[in-house]
Amino acid sequence: MRRALTALVLLAAVGGGVAWWLTAPDPIPESELAGLTGDATRGQAVFAAAGCASCHLAPEDESAGPPVLAGGQRFVTQFGTFVAPNISPSPQGVGNWTDAQLINAIARGVSPEGQHYYPAFPWTAYNKADLQDLADLVAHLRTLPPSEAESLPHEVPFPFNIRRSLGGWKLLFENRDFVLQADLTPEQERGRYLVEALGHCGECHTPRNPLGGLRTDAWLSGAPDPAGDGQNPNITPAGLQWSEGEIVAMLQSGFTPEFDVVGGEMAEVVRNTSQLSDADRQAIAAYLKAVPPIESPAPEPGTGDSTAEE
Amino acid sequence: MIRTLSLAAVAALGLASVTVAQEGPTPEQQAVNARQSHMTLYAHNLGKLGAMAQGNAEYNAETATAAAASLHHLVQLDQSGYWLEGTSSEQMEESRALPALWQNLEDAGAKHEALMTAVENLQSTAGTDLASLQAALGGVGQACGACHENYRVPQN
């Protein structure tokens, strides 16, 4: 009996140890980052494509000129309210971080202190970004105006406030491969990179499972708006019947083919995509035409609707 | 028999008229219809200009000036009665106007002022040349988007 108990305790300890090890942050090794030199000018295009300003500008900051990434915008979700931090190059922001720390924050969701970030910050998409692009992005961030605003804490209740549990979330839901695996043209590949990695379009246009993981089986097929109002549209060919030219025009000007003007968060997105090259907007359109058409709402997995699997 | 039938007919007619009366649009529905129709008229005229700006139609100074003039008329139409209390997206299925609009009427008004300025600029330059039209139309799109960004549901 005593031996059995000891074995159990030992097993639990080992199990706990394994879990602790599995949920530990997983930064990019120094060796992969050594020798990278960022180009701030190139980084400006990465910055626009990645949409950093959309979330990290101060609330209601509509001023022209270089963006002040003071943070403070609030994002209400079913798990709690997340507050975007100051990521300007100041002591209150990320001014004292090394390049490696910044790249690991963006691409691995790990803070300089080794804490997991919540996936409200789309490192789940940026994890597919080229390291050179990230080095350029970091170089660009360092050229922006500093802000002395203090970052505010997230308002996330138990149990989601246990950061370590995000390690488990990462194990279950982080995907470092592209969702669309197919024979793609170089243009479609560029589009896949812009949509799936930098643009993180799936964050709003793909439905989530009950734990907040993206349902890649229903990729880009539309999702309830996280703010609780309405629906972010299906942008697979089943939902979006625009021509490639019409998609390009919307990304450039905000005008839909019906000459409505997109609103909500998409207005912010157009502010970014209007800064991309025509070739990049065209690549996004080509990719969107290549993703599998999925009717929305996509049936939940395991509901016995086998037609969705075909 | 005939009397019974005609009574039934009268009763049916009465019922029908009651139903019709109930199905007429409420003031709230009328307000939503009016403002959505207004938006459709914007889109119709923006479409003529957009076709030229996007290279899908040849630039024609006369057509551009006429469409810009229509927009200029539209943007000045009296909108009182459009934005009734009780007509937000939370209160009416067909409405896409967020409740936030009614909490920020002053800001919404300022955004409409900005739209008026952008449309004035469009009216005075649309007939100059294609590049001027493109630039001015971009400004109008941004002004439309500014209001849609804060005060409109993405999609019902």
Side-chain angles (χ1 to χ4, degrees):
Chain A
M1 177 65 188
R2 208 188 149 124
R3 249 177 86 174
L5 258 182
T6 318
L8 208 68
V9 167
L10 261 175
L11 256 179
V14 170
V18 169
W20 191 250
W21 176 71
L22 279 174
T23 58
D26 160 35
I28 301 166
E30 278 293 333
S31 56
E32 279 187 50
L33 299 176
L36 281 179
T37 314
D39 175 337
T41 310
R42 276 203 68 236
Q44 181 157 17
V46 181
F47 179 78
C52 311
S54 300
C55 291
H56 288 282
L57 280 178
E60 310 300 324
D61 180 356
E62 285 163 20
S63 51
V68 184
L69 304 177
Q73 286 187 52
R74 299 166 61 81
F75 300 90
V76 180
T77 74
Q78 63 189 111
F79 306 104
T81 297
F82 300 95
V83 188
N86 179 346
I87 59 162
S88 74
S90 68
Q92 294 79 7
V94 298
N96 296 333
W97 298 18
T98 67
D99 286 3
Q101 284 172 334
L102 268 161
I103 290 175
N104 271 303
I106 298 166
R108 286 293 178 271
V110 178
S111 77
E113 296 80 32
Q115 259 194 342
H116 294 298
Y117 286 126
Y118 290 101
F121 172 30
W123 45 262
T124 42
Y126 300 151
N127 60 5
K128 299 171 216 23
D130 290 336
L131 290 182
Q132 182 60 54
D133 274 358
L134 293 176
D136 294 343
L137 171 63
V138 164
H140 178 68
L141 283 178
R142 297 199 192 281
T143 67
L144 297 177
S147 156
E148 290 172 8
E150 291 293 341
S151 293
L152 301 171
H154 301 311
E155 293 154 26
V156 178
F158 180 84
F160 304 114
N161 59 350
I162 304 172
R163 295 260 184 173
R164 192 75 187 197
S165 67
L166 289 164
W169 193 96
K170 283 181 172 174
L171 277 179
L172 290 172
F173 304 125
E174 182 181 9
N175 189 358
R176 290 183 189 165
D177 296 323
F178 288 106
V179 174
L180 181 63
Q181 296 291 341
D183 257 340
L184 300 180
T185 64
E187 184 180 57
Q188 289 166 334
E189 268 185 28
R190 174 67 182 163
R192 179 176 70 174
Y193 179 67
L194 289 166
V195 169
E196 293 197 24
L198 298 185
H200 60 281
C201 309
E203 296 293 311
C204 290
H205 287 284
T206 299
R208 292 175 184 275
N209 65 29
L211 284 172
L214 289 176
R215 284 184 48 204
T216 50
D217 63 308
W219 186 241
L220 301 181
S221 67
D225 191 69
D229 297 299
Q231 191 80 12
N232 294 319
N234 182 342
I235 55 170
T236 74
L240 193 64
Q241 313 209 317
W242 304 353
S243 70
E244 289 188 31
E246 288 169 338
I247 295 172
V248 169
M250 186 280 289
L251 294 172
Q252 200 264 324
S253 67
F255 285 115
T256 70
E258 300 80 33
F259 283 89
D260 182 9
V261 177
V262 296
E265 297 292 322
M266 199 61 200
E268 278 290 347
V269 173
V270 169
R271 233 162 265 151
N272 299 320
T273 54
S274 64
Q275 297 175 50
L276 301 182
S277 66
D278 268 329
D280 274 354
R281 284 188 288 266
Q282 184 59 49
I284 292 173
Y287 166 85
L288 289 178
K289 288 291 173 191
V291 299
I294 296 172
E295 297 292 339
S296 53
E300 297 285 333
T303 51
D305 187 343
S306 60
T307 53
E309 314 286 305
E310 283 161 15
Chain B
M1 179 62 188
I2 286 173
R3 224 178 112 173
T4 323
L5 264 181
S6 52
L7 265 180
V10 167
L13 268 175
L15 271 179
S17 62
V18 167
T19 321
V20 168
Q22 278 176 342
E23 279 182 359
T26 63
E28 287 79 11
Q29 282 165 337
Q30 285 177 21
V32 174
N33 285 343
R35 65 200 196 208
Q36 290 183 350
S37 303
H38 195 156
M39 295 295 176
T40 307
L41 287 175
Y42 278 139
H44 178 72
N45 289 287
L46 287 168
K48 294 181 197 170
L49 297 166
M52 291 185 243
Q54 293 176 3
N56 298 325
E58 203 167 320
Y59 175 74
N60 177 306
E62 223 167 285
T63 317
T65 306
S70 297
L71 285 172
H72 192 240
H73 285 299
L74 282 172
V75 81
Q76 291 181 79
L77 291 189
D78 176 19
Q79 296 197 8
S80 58
Y82 274 22
W83 308 99
L84 292 186
E85 291 279 350
T87 61
S88 79
S89 58
E90 271 179 17
Q91 293 151 315
M92 295 177 70
E93 207 175 315
E94 59 268 52
S95 170
R96 287 179 71 187
L98 285 168
L101 175 68
W102 282 268
Q103 292 148 18
N104 298 280
L105 285 174
E106 207 172 303
D107 179 59
K111 288 185 160 63
H112 189 257
E113 291 281 324
L115 176 66
M116 287 174 108
T117 310
V119 170
E120 274 163 27
N121 178 40
L122 177 71
Q123 194 201 12
S124 59
T125 58
T128 311
D129 56 24
L130 180 59
S132 310
L133 166 64
Q134 285 168 328
L137 190 61
V140 172
Q142 282 168 19
C144 297
C147 205
H148 293 175
E149 177 173 6
N150 292 341
Y151 303 124
R152 190 175 73 167
V153 169
Q155 195 182 61
N156 280 350

